[in-house]
């Protein structure tokens, strides 16, 4: 019989005893979510400031996405790609128009999206660029996070993610992030097929590059016939105050070619929030001359492009547009950083605040090995706000994008209260 959970303690004990210890969660057991709020087993309410690593930009249990899921779940969920289904085509038309690409390849998790982009880039390198088979290289950035498969961790610089998982996949070159000269010299090697990069490094601690970095990346890649692959799994879908981080300062929800700030990647990888937080969906978008290297039998996934996922993703993207979430993220993000800057100026325990839209981080002024950020997150939770420390002494703050201004101020008050306690110790 299935065990029912009556207390947080009981749930934590079960996970500890029967689950692999591949995460180190805050000791909070959640049982319900709605919009920007989560409730634990004891009924305590929290503001969510992680949004499942930006997978629930539309807010928890969004009613419109929920209804789309229920309707599709009672109609048709999975056919495999051995046959056509009547939702995939409309989804492919919708998402390619939405982001301005010729074609899409649907997958499930983010890491699968990254794997797909790597495979497309290599195949393109051999079949279109004329590189000798087996020689293709992909350039990546220091402190990247692109997922957890054995290929992807092969080019990670995080010792925990790599150690004792070798042998590692060859064919990757790591260069410093936000360093255009390092990219240019890496591109001198004519076996390079692609540069894979996050427009803002999320997991590394929300590192935002120089204003003109992506533009220069795109230009450098173009001049060397190298594919610019943008991993927008975390930064995309309105999180950073525009539909994509590569949209620059454009606030329209949806693709617009007219925006001069838009930097089109050759390959765009999406995941997380195109699920609306309901069901894993990822997507790789590119144009015909690149996507046409993919032929029957070269790549696939049993669940990729299934009607349930396709319907959910379409609705999740519709919600982003209809509720103007990019504009809200931009407006609230500025408010948030302004309020945090006041705290940084006032309290020695905070070093700085950085970010874009509602993807922000506060750097704690303590040694990277101390547990101050973790201890602060425990106190924030006690005060009704859930955030998680990321690499070093950094706290990432990324609430659902459906937050109101009043709620945001309420949250900043909670953060201020906690910061003050730590400053006085
Ligand atoms: C989360 C994330 C991934 C991996 O996505 P999963 O769904 O966890 O496999 C890849 N790239 C970036 C930038 C991410 O934030």
């Amino acid at each position: 019989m299935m065990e029912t959970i009556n207390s947080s303690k009981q749930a934590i004990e079960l996970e500890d005893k029967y689950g692999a210890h591949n995460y180190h969660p805050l000791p909070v057991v959640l049982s319900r979510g709605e919009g920007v709020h989560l409730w634990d087993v004891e009924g305590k309410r929290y503001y969510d400031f992680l949004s499942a690593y930006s997978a629930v930009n539309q807010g928890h249990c969004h009613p419109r996405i929920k209804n789309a899921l229920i309707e599709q779940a009672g109609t048709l969920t999975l056919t495999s790609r051995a046959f056509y289904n009547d939702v995939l085509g409309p989804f492919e038309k919708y998402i390619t128009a939405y982001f301005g690409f010729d074609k899409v390849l649907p997958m499930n998790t983010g890491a699968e999206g990254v794997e797909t982009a790597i495979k497309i880039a290599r195949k393109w390198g051999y079949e279109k660029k004329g590189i000798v088979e087996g020689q293709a290289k992909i350039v990546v950035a220091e402190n990247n996070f692109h997922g957890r498969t054995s290929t992807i961790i092969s080019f990670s610089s995080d010792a925990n993610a790599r150690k004792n998982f070798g042998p590692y996949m060859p064919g990757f070159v790591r260069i410093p992030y936000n360093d255009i000269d390092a990219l240019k010299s890496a591109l001198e090697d004519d076996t390079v097929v692609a540069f894979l990069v996050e427009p803002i490094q999320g997991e590394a601690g929300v590192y935002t590059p120089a204003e003109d970095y992506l533009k220069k990346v795109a230009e450098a890649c173009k001049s060397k016939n190298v594919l610019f692959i943008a991993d927008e799994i975390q930064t995309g879908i309105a999180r950073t105050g525009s539909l994509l981080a590569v949209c620059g300062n454009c606030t329209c929800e949806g693709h617009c070619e007219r925006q001069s700030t838009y930097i089109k990647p050759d390959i765009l990888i999406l995941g997380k929030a195109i699920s609306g937080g309901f069901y894993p969906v990822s997507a790789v978008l590119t144009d015909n001359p690149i996507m046409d290297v993919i032929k029957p039998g070269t790549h696939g996934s049993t669940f990729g492009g299934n009607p349930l996922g396709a319907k959910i993703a379409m609705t999740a993207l519709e919600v982003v547009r209809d509720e103007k979430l990019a504009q809200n993220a931009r407006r609230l993000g500025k408010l948030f950083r302004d309020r945090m800057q006041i705290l940084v100026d006032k309290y020695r325990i905070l070093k700085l605040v950085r970010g874009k839209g509602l993807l922000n981080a506060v750097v704690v002024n303590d040694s990277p090995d101390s547990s101050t950020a973790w201890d602060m997150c425990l106190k924030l939770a006690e005060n009704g706000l859930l955030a998680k420390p990321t690499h070093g002494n950094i706290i990432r703050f990324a609430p659902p994008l459906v937050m109101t201004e009043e709620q945001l101020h309420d949250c900043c008050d909670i953060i201020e209260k906690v910061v003050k306690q730590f400053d006085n110790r």
Side-chain angles (χ1 to χ4, degrees), residues 53 108-112 114 145-148 198 200 202-203 231-235 272:
Y53 301 99
N108 313 285
T109 64
E112 285 175 305
V114 174
F145 183 83
H146 296 288
R148 298 295 200 166
E198 300 155 83
I200 292 173
E203 293 311 299
D231 178 348
E232 292 238 26
I233 291 168
Q234 188 160 159
T235 52
K272 295 204 165 100

Side-chain angles (χ1 to χ4, degrees), residues 4 8 17 39 43 73-74 124 192 207 298 334 344 349 360 402:
T4 17
S8 290
K17 182 159 184 211
W39 285 263
W124 173 87
V192 170
Y207 283 98
T298 56
K334 187 167 183 327
V344 168
I349 192 70
N360 294 294
V402 292

Side-chain angles (χ1 to χ4, degrees), residues 214-255:
L214 294 176
K215 184 164 181 280
K216 288 183 171 165
V217 163
E219 285 166 3
C221 288
K222 199 176 174 69
S223 77
K224 291 286 181 189
N225 194 25
V226 161
L227 304 178
F228 164 32
I229 307 177
D231 178 348
E232 292 238 26
I233 291 168
Q234 188 160 159
T235 52
I237 328 287
R239 171 53 58 186
T240 63
S242 43
L243 179 63
L244 299 169
V246 294
C247 292
N249 291 321
C250 180
T251 52
C252 79
E253 342 281 310
H255 174 69

Side-chain angles (χ1 to χ4, degrees), residues 177-180 199 207-216 263:
Y177 186 64
N178 192 22
D179 184 338
I180 195 71
Y207 283 98
T208 47
E211 194 72 36
D212 59 355
Y213 177 62
L214 294 176
K215 184 164 181 280
K216 288 183 171 165
I263 301 147

